[in-house]
Amino acid sequence: MKKVISTFIEEKLTKVLEKLNYPLKPKVIISNRKDLCDYQFDGAFSLAKELHENPFNISEKITAEFQKMYANTSFFTKIEAVRPGFINFTLSDTCINEILNHMKESDKFAITMPAKETIIIDYGGPNIAKPLHVGHLRSAIVGESIKRILKYYGHEVISDVHLGDYGLQIGQVIYGLKSENISINDITIEILDRIYPKMSGLCKENDEIKTICAQITKDLQDGNQEYQAYFVKIREVSGRDILRIYDYLDVHFDLWYGESNAYPYIDKAKQALEAKKLLKQSEGALIIDVAKSEDSKELPPFIFQKSNGAYLYGTTDLATIFERIIDYNPQKILYVTDLRQGMHFTQLFRVCEKLGITKSTNFEHLGFGTVNGLDGKPYKTRAGTAPKLDELFTETKEAFLNSNPKNTSMDNEDLDILVNAIIKFADLQNNREKDYIFDSKKFSSVIGKTGPYILYTYLRIANILTKENYISTNKLTNTIYNNVDRELRMKILELENALNYSYTTRLPSILANYLYELCVNLNAFYENNHINNLEDVKKKEDWLILLDLSCKIIKDMLYLLGINIPKKM
Ligand code: ARG
């Protein structure tokens, strides 16, 4: 057998339903009553509604036909219609072990690969001259994980950090530097970290300065040489610091483009818009209507150019799409940003639709929620500002060191791996669209749904395999020895479902939660089944094979979540 087990049952069910003339494409799910069965089919309920028949009668008919058509398969030990209309499937040991052996021997655990596509993923999105803070964390973590999952499925994936490098903050910082007589060569990250908050505060109080800063930004965009020289240096200094943080997070980009790189493509975008007569004058600005009659909420027009001639966030995003299509002609472009940018992306994608771009390129906005503090409000430092990422790393490291005196003996490299694991697993276990509370103490513990728990489990099992000098050559036999053993095997069978689901929904949380459940099963298995002194050679071999397969799965899943493995804990 070379298939996900649910697909395998679905294929058989399709034939059964056809034979019975039932109009339904069957969907089989992992049982939510594992004490009763392994997989279940609930389609009788919708059929019952449609055909005005009793659901239990339908499930009985399907079951009877299934048994008739597949009477001699050795895959199920039980197929049963249960009131009020469920159909329950229980797999045979032979079936379970056959799939496990196939997973063990195949590349990437035998998942089915989709047709290869070129996909651009735009995440990170930091703004230069501003320090990275907690608000930038999720885009980096979630984006990196989605990128790795897409690559795992064989796609050609190009990642772009898409720096915010041509916005108002640049004009503000240039003004601040000039007014303090700081020359270009003297610019350092410390100076930038000081000037930006000062200027952004000043601009909030003083409209005159704000106008000057806006003008500097506009002149910079129009090519003013002095400002360009400042810009190049600011981008270099700030870019180096951003890179340092991403390196720490093991987050990597193929392209370090920014809004400024899109400027040469603005004309191309404008020509295309003009050719389709999409641009409209409105109070001096150039806009595009993107509302549709079926919209439930009013969607304002997309602004291409402001009345003072300035371009906006949307303009550079549109121009960037032209750039990306010319350079890579991708089938998909994905954006990982804060959910609150939802409307911006709806407008942008609508413009692409009107331009006919969406015929060959699909767009997805993958939004995420907020990182909150213990009070349930957006995470803040004692000073009331969003903590810089450096501060968050330090806080997490301290929490981990305090959680167990033994942790202080870990080397620095391993400690940094743990800090990453704590932060990333805390984040990725939550559906990206939900807010979550970051509690460094709770997530540092080796007990509970945490990064350290997963890593500890992995190292514990990997240790056993090393001690036993295990080399994987044999296949699993047909035996399953006890309940926890069977539960572990069934959890491994769920891998493909979890992977496929996280791939299609772009939700790394599915994988994170699967990984946690696998570790819970593994620990239960290990505590109940002592391997070291086993005399039954066949049993010992089977169990080592199982542990080895589990270790390989954990390793790959951790990689997909962007989490590295320490040498020891
Ligand atoms: N710099 C933007 C921000 O801080 C995020 C950029 C996201 N990417 C994009 N193509 N718009 O919100």
Side-chain angles (χ1 to χ4, degrees):
M1 179 182 319
K2 296 192 174 45
K3 289 223 166 58
V4 199
I5 187 71
S6 45
T7 319
F8 174 80
I9 307 175
E10 277 161 12
E11 281 174 3
K12 300 204 160 8
L13 268 173
T14 305
K15 299 225 171 80
V16 173
L17 296 182
E18 265 166 23
K19 180 95 188 281
L20 293 169
N21 269 327
Y22 281 142
L24 184 74
K25 197 171 167 293
K27 186 97 201 84
V28 168
I29 56 171
I30 294 167
S31 163
N32 46 32
R33 281 290 303 277
K34 298 251 167 72
D35 51 328
L36 297 181
C37 64
D38 299 322
Y39 287 84
Q40 67 188 70
F41 172 64
D42 301 348
F45 295 104
S46 57
L47 282 172
K49 248 196 217 136
E50 204 175 321
L51 307 173
H52 307 288
E53 236 189 282
N54 174 310
F56 183 63
N57 284 349
I58 295 182
S59 66
E60 274 194 313
K61 276 189 218 161
I62 297 173
T63 308
E65 189 59 38
F66 198 107
Q67 270 154 346
K68 207 162 89 198
M69 282 175 78
Y70 301 103
N72 45 15
T73 53
S74 55
F75 290 117
F76 306 100
T77 49
K78 204 163 75 183
I79 304 164
E80 195 182 23
V82 188
R83 277 180 202 285
F86 303 104
I87 301 179
N88 290 349
F89 296 87
T90 303
L91 303 184
S92 68
D93 290 2
T94 314
C95 172
I96 296 171
N97 288 315
E98 200 172 308
I99 307 173
L100 289 173
N101 278 325
H102 179 58
M103 287 175 77
K104 163 176 156 22
E105 266 142 43
S106 314
D107 187 35
K108 294 179 182 161
F109 314 106
I111 55 169
T112 314
M113 291 289 160
K116 184 170 173 167
E117 292 182 326
T118 300
I119 301 176
I120 294 188
I121 178 163
D122 174 321
Y123 65 104
N127 301 316
I128 68 163
K130 294 189 194 177
L132 281 176
H133 60 77
V134 68
H136 296 107
L137 190 67
R138 298 201 82 179
S139 185
I141 293 179
V142 175
E144 179 72 17
S145 177
I146 295 174
K147 177 185 81 181
R148 292 181 186 208
I149 295 170
L150 294 171
K151 283 193 177 178
Y152 200 76
Y153 275 84
H155 295 299
E156 172 78 30
V157 186
I158 299 142
S159 52
D160 182 7
V161 70
H162 199 75
L163 297 171
D165 62 355
Y166 245 22
L168 262 183
Q169 88 273 17
I170 297 295
Q172 296 176 349
V173 170
I174 293 177
Y175 177 94
L177 291 166
K178 280 176 64 90
S179 62
E180 287 192 27
N181 285 322
I182 297 169
S183 69
I184 293 180
N185 286 331
D186 295 337
I187 298 172
T188 62
I189 191 69
E190 291 74 25
I191 292 177
L192 292 179
D193 281 359
R194 181 177 61 76
I195 298 265
Y196 172 72
K198 174 180 154 191
M199 284 308 301
S200 101
L202 213 59
C203 285
K204 273 183 201 125
E205 292 158 9
N206 188 325
D207 276 348
E208 209 175 308
I209 296 184
K210 192 173 157 191
T211 314
I212 302 175
C213 292
Q215 189 58 45
I216 296 179
T217 308
K218 171 90 179 49
D219 292 345
L220 166 76
Q221 295 170 352
D222 290 341
N224 175 304
Q225 296 229 325
E226 185 196 7
Y227 298 156
Q228 279 291 333
Y230 270 100
F231 165 73
V232 169
K233 182 73 178 183
I234 294 169
R235 188 170 152 151
E236 178 200 317
V237 172
S238 181
R240 214 181 302 132
D241 198 54
I242 291 170
L243 182 64
R244 173 184 68 80
I245 304 258
Y246 284 146
D247 273 349
Y248 185 83
L249 286 171
D250 205 5
V251 164
H252 305 281
F253 298 93
D254 300 310
L255 303 176
W256 278 79
Y257 290 171
E259 292 163 358
S260 66
N261 297 77
Y263 266 66
Y265 296 85
I266 290 181
D267 267 352
K268 286 206 171 54
K270 194 168 179 187
Q271 281 160 20
L273 291 164
E274 276 166 348
K276 296 234 167 186
K277 301 199 168 35
L278 293 173
L279 285 176
K280 233 170 71 177
Q281 290 274 356
S282 167
E283 297 168 31
L286 281 179
I287 64 165
I288 303 152
D289 283 325
V290 287
K292 286 185 183 176
S293 56
E294 68 261 30
D295 289 345
S296 57
K297 256 199 320 209
E298 197 184 319
L299 191 65
F302 177 93
I303 305 177
F304 184 78
Q305 190 169 23
K306 288 210 293 193
S307 54
N308 71 352
Y311 296 118
L312 297 130
Y313 185 51
T315 325
T316 49
D317 260 340
L318 184 62
T320 303
I321 291 171
F322 278 78
E323 179 183 15
R324 288 173 177 166
I325 290 176
I326 290 168
D327 289 352
Y328 299 102
N329 199 21
Q331 276 87 39
K332 288 194 173 71
I333 304 181
L334 274 39
Y335 300 83
V336 186
T337 81
D338 194 307
L339 268 179
R340 285 169 292 190
Q341 294 195 21
M343 190 173 84
H344 161 75
F345 284 106
T346 308
Q347 293 172 312
L348 178 69
F349 300 165
R350 289 268 176 97
V351 173
C352 292
E353 193 183 321
K354 291 194 152 184
L355 284 168
I357 296 176
T358 47
K359 281 190 211 124
S360 45
T361 305
N362 285 319
F363 295 87
E364 294 175 33
H365 175 225
L366 309 174
F368 53 79
T370 311
V371 183
N372 287 329
L374 289 175
D375 58 359
K377 299 202 185 104
Y379 202 92
K380 292 262 155 58
T381 58
R382 271 191 219 108
T385 53
K388 291 184 195 166
L389 285 184
D390 279 323
E391 292 168 336
L392 191 80
F393 300 155
T394 311
E395 178 195 320
T396 307
K397 193 184 276 189
E398 272 161 17
F400 180 66
L401 290 174
N402 289 336
S403 70
N404 185 343
K406 279 197 194 136
N407 292 344
T408 45
S409 64
M410 280 173 85
D411 70 22
N412 276 334
E413 201 181 316
D414 279 355
L415 269 179
D416 288 338
I417 288 177
L418 259 301
V419 170
N420 265 279
I422 292 164
I423 293 176
K424 288 174 179 170
F425 201 78
D427 192 311
L428 293 174
Q429 65 179 270
N430 297 287
N431 178 314
R432 62 175 155 75
E433 298 200 338
K434 300 259 158 50
D435 300 347
Y436 73 94
I437 290 178
F438 182 73
D439 177 344
S440 56
K441 197 167 157 203
K442 174 173 146 199
F443 292 119
S444 298
S445 168
V446 77
I447 301 161
K449 204 183 209 180
T450 68
Y453 171 74
I454 310 281
L455 291 176
Y456 183 75
T457 307
Y458 175 83
L459 290 177
R460 187 181 189 189
I461 307 296
N463 243 335
I464 303 172
L465 293 166
T466 314
K467 269 200 202 124
E468 299 287 341
N469 290 319
Y470 172 76
I471 331 165
S472 76
T473 43
N474 290 341
K475 285 186 172 195
L476 287 167
T477 66
N478 264 338
T479 321
I480 296 177
Y481 301 92
N482 52 43
N483 252 342
V484 273
D485 177 352
R486 191 174 194 280
E487 278 162 18
L488 175 61
R489 291 181 206 232
M490 291 311 293
K491 188 51 76 183
I492 297 177
L493 291 196
E494 282 177 27
L495 171 70
E496 184 160 7
N497 277 288
L499 263 170
N500 284 348
Y501 193 48
S502 82
Y503 163 67
T504 51
T505 57
R506 327 284 191 220
L507 289 173
S509 51
I510 306 291
L511 281 191
N513 285 290
Y514 171 78
L515 182 55
Y516 171 70
E517 288 162 17
L518 177 64
C519 287
V520 170
N521 281 126
L522 259 174
N523 282 309
F525 174 86
Y526 175 75
E527 264 137 42
N528 286 284
N529 298 320
H530 296 284
I531 294 186
N532 42 352
N533 299 322
L534 261 186
E535 276 171 15
D536 181 337
V537 185
K538 182 174 130 269
K539 192 189 221 176
K540 184 165 182 168
E541 171 83 16
D542 272 346
W543 281 355
L544 287 173
I545 292 175
L546 218 47
L547 292 186
D548 181 56
L549 181 58
S550 306
C551 264
K552 290 193 170 121
I553 293 173
I554 300 180
K555 206 168 172 183
D556 274 17
M557 296 310 104
L558 282 171
Y559 177 77
L560 294 181
L561 299 176
I563 298 175
N564 292 317
I565 298 169
K567 296 181 286 297
K568 60 174 196 225
M569 271 174 85

